[in-house]
Every structure is written in C-alpha cells, then in structure tokens.
Amino acid sequence: MSDDVSTAERRVPFAASLRSKHRLRPAELLPLVAVAIVPLLGSGYYPLATQIAITVIFGLSLDLLVGYAGIVTLGHGIFFGVGAYASGIASVHGWGDPVSGLFIGAAAAAVVGVVQGFVVLRTARFTLLMLTLCSVFLVSEVANKAGWLTGGADGLTGVMTGPLLGVWTFDLDGRTGYLFSATVFVLVWIGLRGLVHAPFGQSIMAIRDNPGRAEAIGMAVRPRLLIVYTVSAAIAGTAGALQAEIDQFAGLKNVGFEISATILVMLALGGTGRLYGAMAGPAVYLIAQDLLAKINPAMWQLWLGLLIVATVLFVPGGLSSLADVFRGRGKR
Amino acid sequence: MVTLVEIAFQSLAYASVLYLVSVGLSVTLGLMGFVNLAHGIFAMAGGYVVATAISAAGAPWWVMVIAAPVVVALGAAVLERLLYSRLYGRGELDQVLFSIGLIFVAGAVVRLTFGPLPQQLRLPEALLQSLEVGPFSFFLYKLVVVAAGLAVAIGIHLGIERTRLGAMVRAAVENRGMAESIGLDTSRLFTATFALGGALGAVGGILGADVFSLGPTYAFEILVYVQTVVAVAGLGTLRGSFLASLLIATLQTVSAYYLPAFGTIILFSAVFLLLLARPRGLFGRIS
C-alpha cells in the first residue's frame, strides 16, 4: 500500500501527507446523499434502507479489523449478537430507551471483545481463524442453551423500544427507525474516518503490513491490536443493539457463524481496507438480495457465489476499487 | 462393559468418517497452505453422485463407492487447474472468501438440481445387519466404514512416507522453488494431490451419509468439523489427522451418551483450549 504513494507526495512531510489524506474528497459525500435521498423515495423503502444502514455499521466495524488491522475473523457475529442480546435483555427488563440501549450493547460487546481478543490475539493466521470459528459456535450454543436469559431457539420476545429521546415513537412505516439508524451510521462513519487517519490508525496499518518491523521501531503491537479489536467489537455491538431495537427482537440468527460469514462476504465484495468498501458491499448485497431472493433463493445463492468467486479472482480490491480504475489511478 | 464397547465402536466409526472427510484438507491446507473452507463440497459431491446413481440407475453400491470418488477427483482436478491454482500465495482472506463463494455455488447447484430436501443414500442389504460377538453387537456397515478409514490412513502414511511420489510431494511442499529447479513439475503434483484429497473427501461423504445427511447445506454444516480436525492435528502433518479425528469423535460420542445437552459446548471449549495451549495443533510443524 505504501508503495503507491507517488514521489511527489513522498517529499512532503509526514504530517502534511496525513493531513492531505484526511482531506474530504467530494466523492466521500455520496453516502450522505444516499442517506438523504431515501426519505424522498417513499416510506416503502424505509425497512430496506434501515437494514442497509445497520449492516453498513457492522461492516465498518469488521473492516477496521480485516482491512486495517489485517485480522481475518470468522466470528465477528459474536459482537453483533452480544450487542443485540444486551440491549434486548435490558429492554425486556424495562430499559427500553433506544439511545442508551446502543451504549449498553456497545459496552457488552466491548467487554466480550476485550476478553476474547486478549486470548485469541496471541495467535495469528490460521490458528486465529480457527479460534474465532470455535468462539462463534461456542457463543451461539451458549445463547441457545441459556434459554432463561436469551429465550433460546425461540429468541428474545417482549423487547419494547421506547420513544427516541422520549419524543419520537418507532412507528409502523419505519421513519423514526430509519432516521435513527442513519444518524448512528453517520456518527460511526465520522468517528472511524477520524480514527483510521489519525496516527493511531496509521500505526495499525503499519502493524498489518509488517508486524515484525512495527515491533522493531518500538510499537506495542499486541496492545494496539487489542484496542482495535475492542473498538471494533463495540461498534459491532452498537449495530447489533440497533438491530434488536428496530426489530424489537433478538435471536440466534444475530449471533451465529452464518452472519459472521455473510458480513465478511459483504465487506469483501465492497473491498477491504477502505471505509467506502464497507458501505458499498452491504448496500449492493442487500439491494441485490431484495431484488433476486424474492424470485428464487437458490438462484440468488448461485449468483452470489459466482460473484464472490469472480471478485476474488479478478477484482481483489472489491467493487469500490473499481472507482479507482475509473479515476485512472490503477490498483489502490 | 457393553456400553463401553458400544461407545468405543461408535467413536471409531465416527472417527473414520471424520478422518476420510478431512484428510484431503490436511493435504490442501496442511501441506499446500490453502485455507479451503470448501473442502466439504467434494464429500457432498461424492454422496450425491452415489445417491443419484443408486436411485436413478440402480447402480450397485460397491461399484459406486469406487467409481464416484474417481469422478469427484476429476472434478477436483479441473477446479484446481481453473480456479484454486490462481490463488496459491494469496492472503488467507482471499482464500476464505473464494471458498465461501464456492460453497454457495455448490449448494445452489445441488438445490436447483435435487431440491431442498436431504437425499437418501440406500445401503446394500448385505451390510444392514449386525455381527454378534458374544454379548457385543456390531453393525456390519459401520465395520466397513472403520475398515475403510483404517485402510486409507495406512495407505496415506505409507504412500507419503515410503513412495517416490510421496517424496516428490513432500519436496514440492517443503520448498517449491527448489523442487522445480531439480526438475519436478510441481503444478502437476499439486493438481494430483488436490484431486486425491477430493477423492478421499468423496469416500468420506459416501460412507458418512448416515452421519452427515446429504442436503444442500452439507458443505456449511460439515465445515467446522473438518476445519477442527485439521487444526487439532496441526498443519504440515498427515499422521496427526487420524488421531485428531479419533479424539474429536470420542469426545462427541461420549458427550452424546452422557451429557447430550452440552456436546457442542464441550467440543468447542476443548478445541479452543487446545489451540490456545498448542497453537500449532497436536503434531503441527508450522503455525
């Protein structure tokens, strides 16, 4: 990645190059435009747009791990699910406030993330992949068995989401839910954009590109990875909590291997290591699913599989890297 | 005592199936370093070929157990040449995604062709009886499965350790550049090894059709068990696979007998702890 920096850029000091990378490009406003357009389409699109916003938040959290920190995980659904269950359980016990519910979900996921990350980040590559895989099966089986807490296979019923900030109720046509999700998405995006362009984010990428060298110049590699892992878990937990609040339900589908693999697929379709890939991937995936899966789920699965295989083989940077091709910059 | 023998026999039979299904992955993942989550599609293909041949054409089971793996091996070789070989040396993320995509495609093809319901694989009448030895009773079919598992394990061990072909494969895996410079055609070796792995997977899929039912989601359902066997055995070793299968199968069978509610939790906790204590697995040489 660092090889692509042109010689002209290399002459300017590091702080200035960071600042120039951080500068907002006009194309980066496209997600905001998309967010603003949805209400104009009519209320029929609120549920899909809400789902996209939630999934994009989840995708962004995974991109932080996979794309920026180079940690490939098959168990990111754990944090989404823990967030969903935490806010759902709080709601069942009478705490239905949506905003603080998000913090409950994020905090619960962060706690699980810091503990699990502390353990699994001692390993790397295939072993790490296997540990995350075992973790996701463990957590979803625990959620299945702990019926008194989670409702087991039936899921958590009786989740009641209160009015937003005490004013706006979550109505049937989904307007409040959409605006809430979109706001959370924009906040997470701004936060993550700041994080990855900050020196901390740059150091994470340095660790990804060459852990040995990062360690040699004095970086505390594992603590930094643990911080990223925890932040990522918290954001995934936020997305999960949001999902539980919108659905007024939390179940096993929010926590298992399937959702972990799906989000990885969505992210990779969009392109890893760039925040906009984490937006494009889930959006394209969910819209295509909405259009195709209604007709024939098996055909949708076939096309999806072919699309993944073709993307990995021919467009390794994901769909969002095609934007660079159009701009004539070539490979990221 | 009778229960104990019963548990041991069930474990051994289940271990043989696990071993057959996953030994091919020990080759591709363990030796060639390809994180192939889609290994289960070969087992699925084997099972479906046999089930269809028996129900549609009335082919004898004995013939199909030999013929179907050959068909699957050819398919695997084609896949390796066309697709897999382009991804050697790519990062594990690309390999993981590619294989997930492949699972989707295989699952969709199966579902479009055979429908969403699981297929029945009819076993020959001759095997559907029990062998009585004193107070113990052994299901004849399971005995065949165990025999096949053991035969393959011994065959692989001898083949890799003692034959010239095995030595060539080991050399190509150890140092591909060096092997090529002394005149080995490593890409053909890899294709052949990959095809063999596919064939063994198919044998596992056929013999294990009563354990893992043949549905469109077969490859996803079996994925975690297959990966677990390879991870517990450790990368870069083929000898460990049978023991790893036996350990996992015993753990699952014992917990199914005594603590059926906690089988999954026990299994994955045990694997998790083992991988933490020994990140390279039991016999792994590389991490």
Side-chain angles (χ1 to χ4, degrees), chain B residues 184-236:
Chain B
L184 293 185
D185 187 347
T186 55
S187 68
R188 260 175 63 192
L189 268 179
F190 281 165
T191 307
T193 322
F194 196 89
L196 178 70
L200 293 173
V203 176
I206 298 163
L207 294 181
D210 59 330
V211 186
F212 302 110
S213 73
L214 287 170
T217 55
Y218 183 93
F220 259 124
E221 274 157 30
I222 200 172
L223 183 155
V224 69
Y225 299 107
V226 176
Q227 300 293 124
T228 304
V229 169
V230 176
V232 167
L235 302 187

Side-chain angles (χ1 to χ4, degrees), chain A residues 72 74 125-127 129-130 133, chain B residues 25 28-30 32-39 84 87-100 194 223 227 230 235:
Chain A
V72 182
L74 279 172
R125 296 177 58 84
F126 176 65
T127 313
L129 199 70
M130 280 308 302
L133 193 63
Chain B
L25 187 67
T28 37
L29 173 60
M32 289 147 74
F34 196 109
V35 186
N36 181 17
L37 299 186
H39 185 70
Y84 279 97
L87 293 171
Y88 293 149
R90 286 266 200 101
E92 70 258 37
L93 176 63
D94 281 345
Q95 298 176 342
V96 162
L97 286 164
F98 167 76
S99 44
I100 290 180
F194 196 89
L223 183 155
Q227 300 293 124
V230 176
L235 302 187

Side-chain angles (χ1 to χ4, degrees), chain A residues 119 125 127 135 145 268 308 312, chain B residues 29 90 92 97 261 272 276 279:
Chain A
V119 176
R125 296 177 58 84
T127 313
S135 307
K145 283 283 154 17
I308 297 167
V312 174
Chain B
L29 173 60
R90 286 266 200 101
E92 70 258 37
L97 286 164
F272 192 94
L276 267 188

Side-chain angles (χ1 to χ4, degrees), chain A residues 66-67 70 72 74 116 119-120 122-127 129-135 137-138 141-142 145 257 261-262 264-266 268-269 272 285 296-299 301-309 311-314 316, chain B residues 29 33 35 37 82-83 86-87 90 92-98 100-109 111-112 217 220 223-224 227-228 230-231 235 260-262 264-266 268-269 271-273 275-276 278-280 287:
Chain A
V66 175
V72 182
L74 279 172
Q116 193 230 9
V119 176
V120 302
R122 302 152 72 89
T123 62
R125 296 177 58 84
F126 176 65
T127 313
L129 199 70
M130 280 308 302
L131 286 177
T132 59
L133 193 63
C134 284
S135 307
F137 277 90
L138 261 180
E141 182 63 13
V142 168
K145 283 283 154 17
F257 170 61
T262 311
L264 194 63
V265 163
M266 290 185 191
L269 281 181
T272 56
Y285 183 103
N296 186 343
M299 283 307 278
Q301 208 189 20
L302 180 66
W303 286 114
L304 175 65
L306 290 174
L307 182 65
I308 297 167
V309 170
T311 307
V312 174
L313 284 175
F314 304 115
Chain B
L29 173 60
V35 186
L37 299 186
L82 288 180
L83 300 174
R86 294 166 196 265
L87 293 171
R90 286 266 200 101
E92 70 258 37
L93 176 63
D94 281 345
Q95 298 176 342
V96 162
L97 286 164
F98 167 76
I100 290 180
L102 216 54
I103 294 179
F104 279 143
V105 174
V109 167
R111 201 162 137 185
L112 288 171
T217 55
F220 259 124
L223 183 155
V224 69
Q227 300 293 124
T228 304
V230 176
L235 302 187
F262 298 99
T264 314
I265 294 180
I266 293 173
F268 290 115
S269 309
V271 174
F272 192 94
L273 292 176
L275 287 182
L276 267 188
R278 294 187 66 106
R280 292 171 177 198
S287 58

